[in-house]
Amino acid sequence: MWTEPFMQRALLTALLLGPLCGLLGVFVTARRMAFFSDTVAHAALAGVAAGLALGWEPSWPMAGISLIVALLILWLREHTELMNDTIMALLMSAFMAAGVVGFSLLRGFRGELHRYLFGDILSVGSGDVGLAAVLGTTVIGLLFFGLSPLSLLTVHEELAHVTGIPVRRLNLMFVVVLTLVVAMSIRLLGIILVTSLLVIPPATARNLAGNLRQQIVLSILTGLLGAVGGVLLSYQLDLPCGPTIVLTCVSLFLITLAAARRPGAIRPPRPACP
């Protein structure tokens, strides 16, 4: 298993994207943006169909369409009276329908549709691994220098604005970074399951963490264990990779939930963010 090139690429991708999703997931759940992630992931199907129709590598048009949808969400929030969930449901339905229609017009790509819906990390190429490495390095660098402003923005947006933090620019940066990570993680889990890697690790960490920093560290570890463990289990048990990663993360959540509630356990105080 360890000498197979496709397994080396799969494990390296899981090693890069699992902790990255765990890190971003803390802020996604605290800012109640799980539906936002789900929307840009489903909209990516239109990008996959466009890429296949044009004969391009789907990763780039997939990321491009996801970014367009993310910016449309922000623009509609600022320029219309529509509620957030209405805007996201509208855009998700429109772009998902466009993607399905696009696939119906293509011939011979039904296997690709299944791969992008449910994920197929074993098929990632060297280019995908390189893209994940560049994205991971960029995101970690940005968060390293912007962790304190982003934490304050997450806890109290008005206070962040008063203290001089560029709230609008920081929000835009976070949305762009989150969208690119979601688009890349579709190869890991698929469009339907990708949000789970942003939600389950921070929820698992919250069972044990006493403050925000502990939650970030534990969420990164959970993302790492869930992604890498899921890839190894899917190979050993001959199971679909994306669902196996999700079930591994859910198992970790249940273990930490039981540990936090066992008789005599000291229940940690709630983290700073909601």
Side-chain angles (χ1 to χ4, degrees), residues 45 49 97-110 113:
L45 187 64
V100 172
V101 169
F103 267 98
S104 71
L105 298 176
L106 296 171
R107 295 288 182 270
F109 289 104
R110 291 191 179 276
L113 176 60

Side-chain angles (χ1 to χ4, degrees), residues 213-230:
R213 290 189 182 277
Q214 289 179 10
Q215 189 186 9
I216 290 174
V217 173
L218 290 172
S219 184
I220 291 173
L221 288 175
T222 305
L224 174 66
L225 290 174
V228 175

